[in-house]
Amino acid sequence: EDKVVQSPLSLVVHEGDTVTLNCSYEVTNFRSLLWYKQEKKAPTFLFMLTSSGIEKKSGRLSSILDKKELFSILNITATQTGDSAVYLCAVEAGRNQFYFGTGTSLTVIP
Amino acid sequence: DAGVTQSPTHLIKTRGQHVTLRCSPISGHKSVSWYQQVLGQGPQFIFQYYEKEERGRGNFPDRFSARQFPNYSSELNVNALLLGDSALYLCASSREGDYNEQFFGPGTRLTVL
């Protein structure tokens, strides 16, 4: 059965801390792994990863994929209160099939 | 440009009723996907449509159906509603064939009583 597991389920940190969010997966016909940020309703796209070992970076956020060990991490440095959200990991397995994890709820305290 | 729009924003129905949810993709996007997100869970894939054809289907019963119109807008229909259908229904659009980078709408919150 295809599955995507995220950890931790929730995290509370202070502003300025660095956090690492984890996503492991077991899917057939892996095509890509995606990270989203969900604040109120609509998830917003962060990264798409298809190749192992190549870091994607956007400001204080970065992500990397390990296709051998079947996981990805999302790093956020110098966290701010605006980073508080649910971070979702999704895997595209085969054509047109997307599996999401349950998400990691991040709370950044001033 | 306007983002993905969905209507209605909220909806309350009773068990056994039928519901239709609507989605308008970003201009120029030909692919639309539907997801169900139950509170505390990640979105679950229901359907993907591209050029008015169903290209993907998740593990949902036949009570769930969808269609895409010539203008690429889409409807999700759910028949014989159950309490467990209460969820946030998200629509996402992407450019032709490039469905990896999806842009989500604000969702429709469906409550079944």
Side-chain angles (χ1 to χ4, degrees):
Chain A
E1 182 183 334
D2 296 329
K3 62 179 179 180
V4 177
V5 178
Q6 292 186 245
S7 63
L9 290 181
S10 65
L11 199 52
V12 180
V13 300
H14 292 278
E15 268 192 320
D17 288 350
T18 293
V19 298
T20 297
L21 310 182
N22 304 292
C23 175
S24 63
Y25 61 91
E26 290 181 31
V27 299
T28 54
N29 301 319
F30 173 89
R31 294 191 72 192
S32 64
L33 185 144
L34 302 94
W35 284 98
Y36 291 88
K37 177 182 181 182
Q38 187 173 28
E39 293 179 83
K40 291 184 178 178
K41 283 190 176 179
T44 54
F45 174 82
L46 295 175
F47 297 111
M48 180 178 74
L49 304 158
T50 56
S51 302
S52 278
I54 299 175
E55 184 183 53
K56 292 282 185 86
K57 195 170 174 67
S58 176
R60 297 177 293 102
L61 277 67
S62 64
S63 184
I64 197 162
L65 173 67
D66 186 328
K67 291 170 71 174
K68 182 179 178 183
E69 299 297 329
L70 308 182
F71 77 92
S72 172
I73 59 172
L74 175 68
N75 281 317
I76 308 175
T77 59
T79 51
Q80 302 171 357
T81 54
D83 295 327
S84 296
V86 173
Y87 290 84
L88 294 166
C89 171
V91 172
E92 185 188 356
R95 197 166 179 85
N96 307 318
Q97 296 288 335
F98 297 85
Y99 297 92
F100 278 79
T102 55
T104 292
S105 176
L106 174 65
T107 302
V108 181
I109 300 172
Chain B
D1 282 341
V4 178
T5 59
Q6 291 186 245
S7 64
T9 304
H10 296 87
L11 202 52
I12 299 175
K13 292 284 189 178
T14 56
R15 281 178 295 177
Q17 285 189 310
H18 161 271
V19 68
T20 298
L21 310 181
R22 295 176 176 83
C23 170
S24 292
I26 292 172
S27 178
H29 286 192
K30 297 182 179 181
S31 175
V32 170
S33 296
W34 286 96
Y35 295 85
Q36 180 196 67
Q37 187 174 25
V38 175
L39 196 62
Q41 300 293 318
Q44 284 202 59
F45 174 67
I46 310 176
F47 288 111
Q48 194 236 356
Y49 276 79
Y50 173 64
E51 285 282 11
K52 302 179 288 294
E53 289 188 6
E54 182 185 302
R55 291 294 183 90
R57 172 185 281 259
N59 189 23
F60 279 81
D62 292 343
R63 300 186 295 109
F64 288 77
S65 64
R67 56 180 176 168
Q68 187 177 32
F69 298 100
N71 67 353
Y72 304 109
S73 67
S74 178
E75 283 183 353
L76 175 70
N77 296 286
V78 187
N79 292 324
L81 285 167
L82 303 174
L83 296 179
D85 295 331
S86 296
L88 178 68
Y89 288 84
L90 293 164
C91 171
S93 78
S94 57
R95 295 189 183 279
E96 53 194 67
D98 182 17
Y99 43 80
N100 294 338
E101 192 166 338
Q102 296 184 327
F103 297 85
F104 282 84
T108 293
R109 173 70 64 187
L110 172 65
T111 301
V112 181
L113 301 176

